[in-house]
Amino acid sequence: MHKIMWNFRQALTITLLCFNVLTSAQSNDKPNIVIILADDLGVDDVSFRGANQFLTPNIDALAYSGVILKNLYTAPMCTPSRSALLTGKYPIHTGMQHYVIPNYQPWGLPLNETTIAQVFKEHGYYTSIIGKWHQGFSRKAYTPTKRGFDQHFGYLGAYVDYYNQTLDATAQNLSLGHDFRDNLAVSREHVGTYVTDLLTDAATELISKHDATEKPLFLFLSELAPHAGNDDTPLQAPPEEVEKFAYIKDVNRRTYAAMVSKLDQSVGAVIDALANKGILNNTILLFLSDNGGPTAGLHATTASNYPFRGQKNSPWEGGIRSSGVIWSPLLENLGTVWKQQIYIGDLLPTLAAAANIQLDTQQMNLDGLNLWSALKYGYDAVEREIVHNIDDIFQYVSYGKGKWKFINGTTDDGIYDGWLSVRQNDNSAELDPRAANYKESIMNTTVWQHLTAINAKAALSGSANITKLRQDAAINCMLGNVTQHTACEPLVGPCLFDIDVDPCEHNNLYESMSDGTVVQELLKRVAYFRESAHAPNNKPLDPKCDPRLYDGEWTWWEDVQDGVDDDHNADGGDSAMNLRLNGLLLTLSFGTLFVINLLKYSCRL
């Protein structure tokens, strides 16, 4: 009997040890991660870069308290940029390199790709995406909660109207369709609420209710702002917000300023929620835009990418630079400007390293680099190679290695290749009244107070250095001493730029260096990447997607047409999984009762 009890006690000890290992692995020693992604925000439309036409005090406070990512690169458009963030791969390696996914095309991020949400979920995180998806939805398998996210609240397609949550495809002989979901279920209860406020409220509610001691939080707040809405009213903001910028003469720019202001308020509210929950001191905060802003042309918003050349959907710096900021108590160099080139695809391995998640980067075939150590300690010695894009449909290449950038070909026949943005002068009447007391405007925000309360050193250095940090974050073209510039005409021949000296891409060095080793090496690398490129996934319009066929909703029409799903049974495909989970829970319940009874029996001996 004693021998039997000893065996039981030994088994119980092992069981309890395993339980302790499991629970400690799920404790909140890992940092919460919050990514706030703006949509089509102009590089110069955050005031920490130096602009004063309208201020972004909450984003600026985050910037000066944290680390400003001066040389953050993205893909030039929404879908490819998001695919790079989600997979850690260049869009050319996932077939996402050409244009975007319109709501009416039946394709998406390939299902064999592992997403950042899957990585973090597998390592104990609760994963949520609030807002825009834009990685395909013609089949339910493409949608967020099938790609590693525990929760999705938002829209599946390219954009929606800011109030009625519709996307209008009548120009394609399709109908107007509603696009907003709570996980997989259609959600119409918030129609009429300004979308930026709606997404902000959802994010802050999640933060307030989530138990980060049980599971750390991975929150991807994928904002609509300041992307344009439907063509009939592309720029939308609450009238009282627009009125704050009445000093701006251009009504479109005035409304755009209000849209960015609501985005800035959203950033502030999320940081307030993290502070109120008491988890800010164990959180990594990241703010960035998915690409440069569209100043003119399709979905134009008056966005400013000053002083860069080009805009969204172009090979130029104005299309692929993002104004990014990261903050965390884990960083050793808060209150600085980091000049290291970093690509949006680097975020997956970098954030994984920050969370002590070991990745097999070779098996995953990642293009992104783990730059966590460089970021944490503030050194910028990594020569980053970045394939900005190789698009053989638009017929252009944009590639960089270190300070060298190679361009051949362009988009839209070059009509948006110029320097499209200007900045208001300091003596202009169209300056934000708060700019006269800029530093005080930043330091009076709750964001500044929350973040500097956690890092008093950053508070001291930041308050003294706001002016210097702002100067360091600005882009200086540095070509004042060059008397002659060689123009780049990418539809005529290749172009080469020294981005360190000429980030505004004025002086084409290709002809003067074409016989040298630099150009030859760049051409070899471009040829190498072209050989390894995945064919574009794009497909033509499918008229069966028309929302009029599905009660006015944009939905996973290929599944509906195939008879494997419908809107009225959105979660039906999970029934078998639910049965398996219920069986597992029942088994665990019997196991728990056995352990409890065994403990009772052991205690009596």
Side-chain angles (χ1 to χ4, degrees):
M1 181 65 181
H2 288 293
K3 184 176 181 181
I4 293 173
M5 284 312 305
W6 184 88
N7 288 334
F8 270 124
R9 286 180 182 134
Q10 187 179 43
L12 178 60
T13 300
I14 293 171
T15 301
L16 292 175
L17 283 172
C18 291
F19 178 77
N20 287 334
V21 169
L22 287 170
T23 54
S24 64
Q26 294 173 0
S27 67
N28 73 336
D29 57 338
K30 295 182 181 296
N32 303 293
I33 295 174
V34 177
I35 300 172
I36 304 176
L37 185 70
D39 196 350
D40 284 8
L41 179 67
V43 181
D44 199 43
D45 289 326
V46 288
S47 47
F48 72 76
R49 288 281 199 185
N52 285 319
Q53 189 177 32
F54 55 84
L55 300 189
T56 50
N58 293 303
I59 296 170
D60 291 15
L62 176 62
Y64 301 136
S65 303
V67 177
I68 296 171
L69 307 176
K70 184 169 184 176
N71 296 311
L72 170 61
Y73 284 95
T74 67
M77 296 195 82
C78 306
T79 293
S81 193
R82 283 167 167 74
S83 74
L85 189 158
L86 288 168
T87 65
K89 296 183 179 182
Y90 294 132
I92 63 164
H93 288 152
T94 57
M96 308 296 281
Q97 67 269 43
H98 177 66
Y99 203 62
V100 298
I101 306 176
N103 283 33
Y104 44 78
Q105 290 185 1
W107 59 286
L109 181 68
L111 298 178
N112 62 341
E113 296 295 343
T114 300
T115 71
I116 192 171
Q118 289 171 296
V119 169
F120 279 87
K121 184 175 181 176
E122 288 169 4
H123 288 84
Y125 278 76
Y126 180 82
T127 55
S128 169
I129 177 172
I130 293 175
K132 176 172 177 170
W133 175 236
H134 209 189
Q135 294 296 290
F137 65 88
S138 63
R139 294 196 182 277
K140 187 190 290 186
Y142 288 132
T143 62
T145 55
K146 303 298 182 181
R147 306 306 301 269
F149 287 99
D150 292 303
Q151 180 211 18
H152 175 229
F153 180 76
Y155 56 105
L156 295 169
Y159 58 88
V160 290
D161 179 274
Y162 278 78
Y163 288 99
N164 63 35
Q165 304 167 0
T166 62
L167 184 141
D168 186 356
T170 52
Q172 286 75 35
N173 294 318
L174 303 170
S175 63
L176 184 77
H178 176 261
D179 181 12
F180 211 87
R181 300 268 172 173
D182 188 348
N183 291 328
L184 294 172
V186 171
S187 174
R188 286 180 174 262
E189 60 185 298
H190 302 291
V191 169
T193 302
Y194 190 66
V195 166
T196 304
D197 292 336
L198 180 58
L199 300 180
T200 303
D201 290 346
T204 57
E205 181 180 10
L206 170 62
I207 291 167
S208 67
K209 291 182 177 179
H210 180 70
D211 185 356
T213 62
E214 182 179 334
K215 281 191 171 186
L217 177 63
F218 180 90
L219 170 59
F220 180 20
L221 176 52
S222 183
E223 303 267 15
L224 171 60
H227 194 289
N230 291 316
D231 289 343
D232 57 346
T233 317
L235 303 180
Q236 298 177 335
E240 62 275 14
E241 198 68 30
V242 177
E243 183 59 29
K244 295 177 183 178
F245 303 95
Y247 58 88
I248 299 177
K249 294 177 183 178
D250 182 342
V251 64
N252 289 328
R253 184 67 174 168
R254 186 188 313 154
T255 306
Y256 179 78
M259 295 163 71
V260 175
S261 180
K262 293 298 289 184
L263 170 67
D264 183 70
Q265 292 166 30
S266 179
V267 172
V270 168
I271 295 173
D272 285 347
L274 292 165
N276 294 337
K277 184 68 173 180
I279 60 174
L280 185 57
N281 62 350
N282 189 34
T283 296
I284 297 173
L285 275 166
L286 178 64
F287 173 84
L288 70 160
S289 176
D290 59 348
N291 43 251
T295 308
L298 182 66
H299 299 310
T301 60
T302 77
S304 174
N305 302 303
Y306 177 87
F308 289 131
R309 185 174 184 171
Q311 62 172 16
K312 174 185 177 178
N313 187 27
S314 80
W316 313 102
E317 297 290 288
I320 58 177
R321 283 280 195 114
S322 176
S323 288
V325 174
I326 190 168
W327 177 93
S328 170
L330 297 173
L331 298 173
E332 300 285 337
N333 60 326
L334 293 173
T336 60
V337 175
W338 195 44
K339 297 179 181 179
Q340 168 69 47
Q341 287 187 8
I342 180 171
Y343 180 61
I344 192 169
D346 298 335
L347 296 180
L348 191 161
T350 298
L351 293 174
N356 295 313
I357 295 173
Q358 302 297 317
L359 298 178
D360 188 337
T361 55
Q362 288 189 332
Q363 183 178 12
M364 295 176 70
N365 293 317
L366 296 187
D367 296 305
L369 301 182
N370 171 13
L371 296 176
W372 178 245
S373 292
L375 176 59
K376 181 176 181 178
Y377 298 109
Y379 61 82
D380 54 7
V382 179
E383 184 180 70
R384 188 69 178 89
E385 177 182 43
I386 303 175
V387 181
H388 301 304
N389 207 11
I390 299 175
D391 187 333
D392 288 335
I393 297 177
F394 280 158
Q395 297 184 327
Y396 82 90
V397 172
S398 182
Y399 165 85
K401 186 173 184 181
K403 70 176 186 175
W404 301 111
K405 182 179 176 187
F406 173 81
I407 291 176
N408 195 8
T410 187
T411 56
D412 292 314
D413 293 323
I415 60 177
Y416 303 118
D417 280 0
W419 294 264
L420 304 173
S421 304
V422 295
R423 182 185 281 180
Q424 294 296 322
N425 296 327
D426 288 340
N427 59 356
S428 169
E430 291 198 22
L431 297 184
D432 195 314
R434 296 170 292 179
N437 298 295
Y438 178 76
K439 185 187 294 187
E440 289 76 11
S441 297
I442 305 308
M443 297 176 66
N444 285 335
T445 63
T446 56
V447 172
W448 176 267
Q449 292 157 16
H450 290 317
L451 298 180
T452 55
I454 292 172
N455 191 314
K457 179 181 177 183
L460 292 172
S461 62
S463 63
N465 291 331
I466 282 178
T467 300
K468 184 177 186 305
L469 290 172
R470 201 179 192 206
Q471 291 171 344
D472 288 348
I475 304 301
N476 184 351
C477 292
M478 297 187 291
L479 277 175
N481 296 325
V482 178
T483 56
Q484 282 190 314
H485 299 163
T486 301
C488 165
E489 298 180 73
L491 294 175
V492 176
C495 304
L496 177 69
F497 301 101
D498 180 341
I499 293 298
D500 284 354
V501 174
D502 182 22
C504 301
E505 298 169 301
H506 285 287
N507 191 27
N508 179 14
L509 302 171
Y510 186 82
E511 288 300 325
S512 63
M513 299 181 64
S514 59
D515 294 332
T517 58
V518 169
V519 168
Q520 297 309 310
E521 177 62 25
L522 296 178
L523 293 175
K524 286 180 183 178
R525 294 300 290 167
V526 169
Y528 167 79
F529 281 110
R530 178 174 270 113
E531 284 293 317
S532 66
H534 187 296
N537 299 324
N538 306 67
K539 293 183 179 180
L541 180 152
D542 182 356
K544 294 177 182 178
C545 73
D546 199 330
R548 68 166 58 95
L549 302 175
Y550 314 103
D551 299 323
E553 295 289 338
W554 289 103
T555 192
W556 31 87
W557 73 91
E558 289 193 287
D559 288 349
V560 178
Q561 292 293 325
D562 290 347
V564 297
D565 209 338
D566 59 58
D567 283 339
H568 304 293
N569 187 22
D571 293 304
D574 294 334
S575 59
M577 177 63 76
N578 290 336
L579 287 173
R580 290 195 293 272
L581 288 173
N582 288 338
L584 177 60
L585 289 171
L586 187 62
T587 302
L588 290 173
S589 298
F590 280 123
T592 302
L593 287 173
F594 172 77
V595 171
I596 291 172
N597 289 330
L598 185 58
L599 282 169
K600 288 180 180 177
Y601 186 73
S602 298
C603 291
R604 287 199 298 269
L605 294 177

